Amino acid sequence: MANWLVLSAFIAVTVVIAQAVRLLFMVINGWRNRKKAVGVFHPYTNDGGGGERVLWCAVKAIQDVNPNLDCVIYTGDHDASPDSLSGRALDRFGVKLIHPPKVPFTSRLHQVVHLHRRKWVEETTYPRFTMIGQSFGSIYLSWEALCKYTPLYYFDTSGYAFTYPVARIFGCKVFSYTHYPTISLDMLSRVRGRSSMYNNDSLIAKSAILSRFKVVYYTLFGWLYSFVGSCAHLAMVNSSWTQSHIEKLWGIPARIRRVYPPCDTSRLQALPLEKSMKPPKIVSVAQFRPEKAHPLQLEAFAVAIKKLDQDLPRPIIQLVGSCRNEADEKRLQNLKDLAIKLNVDDHVEFHKNVMYSDLVRLLGGAVAGIHSMTDEHFGISVVEYMAAGAIPIAHNSAGPRMDIVLPENGKQTGFLAQGVEEYAEAIIEVIKMPENKRLEIAAAARKRASMFSEQRFYEDFKAAVRPIFCDGTK
């Protein structure tokens, strides 16, 4: 028996050592074969949201700063190709890359690196402990990415901070664009306060014991998040709200730069401010994800219709968004069912995965734009509403409150709301508003939106990354 135990222990130790040696050789091989390139870690290149717009504008800015650097995209979308991604950037977001990626002649180089382990960062893989599961899953996914192609510069555009130590191990300069902290101090306070929300199940919120356990879990995760985030050589953030949280969590304020995301204000600002009120159209642009709180929009819309005077025109709400997977498709169907249940389905339109030209058309016809995510880190769609002349009705928190829906030269630029009743009242006020008042707010909102242009993003982004590229060439 004793001999069997000794043999088992020897075999186990041998296997561990062999695996460690194997991993070490993979890292050494990565170091030796690093390419003069920027590896962009963006597993979902077809998500269709503001994050994808940032991706393509960032690639264009990098190409402008250093045309000699290849931009390599790590993606889990197996049908993605250099040509299809370049076309998508143009068709969906109006971003024309300076030189569209081309497949090199040597098979060892890839402008698109396909990842086959993306399931490890999908939320459906982790019914419980989703946050820590996806974070550790991203480590595994980034290991696959960097073993396949090791660049000089590793650029995370999707918020996978747990990949930064892996990239550092492979000898990469690490920089990131963070839209939203994986964990925030607000999330922790909600768990302590036992508030039910999309990221805090009602079962946990109702239980004192489970809430205490989750506080410990969040605290431990916060420590890990602080460590991995501090591995970034440069961390760009998209808003004042995100900046304040990342500075506190990562503890590297000298390496953090606020770079507002690129919003298509130039093309949208060319749209007329005058809108047809027959019928008045309210647009909602957001991915069909739980945190976007689409049900609140439909409920508020239903309340507004019931409260509207009979002599006023009945509005139409247009929900425009993309679906990333089956879960999003199911959420979209649930929204359609909710519209029927609320008896407003005749006044609701759903537009899924629209082309950029169609999005511009929808924004151009809208008298107002509604956005309902709590603690939205920034809110590109809110800026797009304002640029298009649609009066924004946004959630009274984070990016919209701190950066976007602020007075312009003392004039109102939109509405901030919380809860169904406040949203409903804002909808009613926009519809009942005299034309001259509506045009005054729309004009002030459009002027405010101009500070979040693509041009400003390019300037601020390039100013932030130039020192990283200079240091990397020394």
Side-chain angles (χ1 to χ4, degrees), residues 167-235:
R168 291 287 289 262
I169 289 172
F170 276 83
C172 305
K173 281 275 187 178
V174 178
F175 62 109
S176 65
Y177 190 93
T178 301
H179 300 268
Y180 198 84
T182 304
I183 188 170
S184 68
L185 304 177
D186 293 343
M187 290 167 62
L188 189 56
S189 66
R190 286 196 191 100
V191 176
R192 286 197 176 109
R194 297 171 63 183
S195 299
S196 177
M197 208 175 169
Y198 66 89
N199 57 2
N200 191 38
D201 190 274
S202 59
L203 178 65
I204 295 175
K206 292 175 182 177
S207 170
I209 294 175
L210 292 177
S211 291
R212 288 195 191 99
F213 177 78
K214 193 165 184 178
V215 166
V216 173
Y217 164 50
Y218 270 21
T219 301
L220 292 174
F221 183 86
W223 290 343
L224 289 173
Y225 188 61
S226 176
F227 166 72
V228 297
S230 67
C231 292
H233 293 91
L234 167 67

Side-chain angles (χ1 to χ4, degrees), residues 115-132:
L115 307 177
H116 299 283
R117 299 183 176 91
R118 192 175 68 179
K119 70 175 183 178
W120 296 110
V121 298
E122 293 178 357
E123 60 184 41
T124 54
T125 306
Y126 312 97
R128 290 283 180 260
F129 300 100
T130 307
M131 188 167 60
I132 192 72

